[in-house]
Amino acid sequence: MLAVLRHRTYRHLFAAQVIALVGTGLATVALGLLAYDLAGAAAGSVLGTALAIKMVAYVAVAPAVGAIADRLPRRALMVTADLVRAGVAVFLPFVDSVWQVYVLVFLLQSASAVFTPTFQAVIPDVLPEERAYTRALSMSRLAYDLESLFSPALAAALLSVITYNWLFTGTVLGFLASAALVVSAVLPERAARPGPGGGRRSGVRGFLAVPRLRALLALDLAVAAAGAMVTVNSVVYVRDVLGLSEGAVPLALGAYGAGSMVVALALPRLLDRVPDRAVMLPAALLLTVVFAGLGAVTAASGGAWRVPALLGVWAAFGAACSAVLTPTGRLIRRSVPAGERTAAFAAQFSLSHGCWLLTYPLAGWLGATAGLDWTTLALGAIALAAALLAVRLWPAPPATHVHSDLPLGHPHLADALRVPTGWRHSHGRLTDGLHAGLR
């Protein structure tokens, strides 16, 4: 899988992603400490509000960016976003009131909502060969998982010798390094946008016009239900349900990350042999089974078995979520013309975070008011309904089918044969539903 790093442009872009993620991780730790300095015992509510603001920025800004991004230079867009993020991080150590934190968090995450979809849309052009692109997606998934494990450990080590304000300096340096690496990358020419009548509507409406991408949104909701349960309630399970020390919280979160990484490492070879649909839909349905296992742990009144059981449940959540999320880029790349990818990735970025905006407060509010039993039941029901909806929206097409109204140069026509009625595909066992609903 590491062979994909031999590609110079991708290597620079991947390094930019990793460094920016580490910087963001340091900022997350520092923001928690800053919130405690500003609000004391109310620091949790400050961070909860900041998290909600982050999601609102993602949901609101990404579609607006997607509408114009394909008309702007991609390198300039990503570099500008990195510079804005670095500039915001410079001001964070100097804030002295909570409202300033909220404003800066909104600006920081708005810039991320510009950078991330643009970055995601560039990679398919950099690595047009599907096998290499699949490995790049797994590398990206690993980067996110490793960041969630590495950044807190790095922050803890740094805090032993410096104050938390200096962590923001690391964030600034990370975003500046990311910008420099993007500048050093030679990006391929952008594919031309389809002419009048030659393409599908772009943005959120265009995204939702494609059945399999509507299925992807349902899959995102299933993942958000599981991910919110882990993110919001890990500390409650560790401290209150299992009666462990706070030092066990990173162990639980690490189990989730480990499960995700194992699947991310295995997926490239698996996706060489089986279609995306055969991986993503079963993984989403598996989330419901894992929720049932979590219900058993939650309902149990005692027993030492609950500790390894919870770690196993968290690892299974991570594995299933990774199996759903990692192939997402392949699905989007195959679903829209190259000239509309940034808008499609921006739409997916916005809609998927809209799912998290729903499940995050639901996981926290239900856990605090109704208890973990009802929370597990509610989020498990959401995951089940979303997975079943995805199955319904993403039917498997026949192995051979004909397209009569796609424009010449559309990515779906790359392996097609011209016939009197249009273009014929014959994908054999690799048929994965990617053509269902094309107009």
Side-chain angles (χ1 to χ4, degrees), residues 202-431:
S202 60
V204 172
R205 290 184 65 191
F207 186 94
L208 295 178
V210 184
R212 63 189 169 279
L213 294 185
R214 292 202 297 271
L216 176 58
L217 176 58
L219 293 173
D220 285 332
L221 179 58
V223 167
M229 193 70 189
V230 173
T231 303
V232 174
N233 289 317
S234 283
V235 65
V236 182
Y237 273 99
V238 169
R239 300 304 307 276
D240 292 346
V241 176
L242 300 179
L244 303 177
S245 69
E246 62 183 15
V249 175
L251 180 62
L253 295 174
Y256 177 86
S260 178
M261 285 188 287
V262 167
V263 170
L265 287 169
L267 273 180
R269 290 189 178 182
L270 178 63
L271 291 173
D272 285 342
R273 300 191 300 272
V274 300
D276 298 341
R277 184 179 184 275
V279 172
M280 299 172 73
L281 293 182
L285 293 169
L286 176 62
L287 289 172
T288 305
V289 178
V290 182
F291 266 111
L294 179 61
V297 175
T298 307
S301 58
W305 62 271
R306 294 181 301 162
V307 175
L310 181 70
L311 295 178
V313 165
W314 259 220
F317 270 142
C321 289
S322 183
V324 173
L325 293 175
T326 302
T328 293
R330 286 164 46 112
L331 197 63
I332 296 174
R333 186 182 75 159
R334 295 176 180 178
S335 300
V336 299
E340 296 178 3
R341 281 178 187 156
T342 304
F345 277 103
Q348 196 274 335
F349 185 84
S350 173
L351 293 170
S352 63
H353 283 90
C355 296
W356 288 92
L357 186 58
L358 169 67
T359 58
Y360 266 144
L362 186 60
W365 179 79
L366 273 180
T369 59
L372 292 176
D373 290 303
W374 284 103
T375 306
T376 302
L377 179 62
L379 291 176
I382 290 174
L384 175 60
L388 292 176
L389 179 60
V391 171
R392 181 177 179 84
L393 290 173
W394 192 354
T400 300
H401 40 233
V402 175
H403 298 301
S404 60
D405 54 1
L406 291 181
L408 184 64
H410 192 283
H412 292 297
L413 302 182
D415 59 350
L417 297 175
R418 183 182 288 277
V419 295
T421 55
W423 298 87
R424 172 175 292 161
H425 287 260
S426 181
H427 296 291
R429 66 186 181 90
L430 292 181
T431 297

Side-chain angles (χ1 to χ4, degrees), residues 1 138 141-149 254-267 318-319 322:
M1 189 168 67
S138 290
R141 183 76 253 154
L142 285 171
Y144 280 105
D145 292 331
L146 287 172
E147 182 276 326
S148 67
L149 300 175
Y256 177 86
S260 178
M261 285 188 287
V262 167
V263 170
L265 287 169
L267 273 180
S322 183

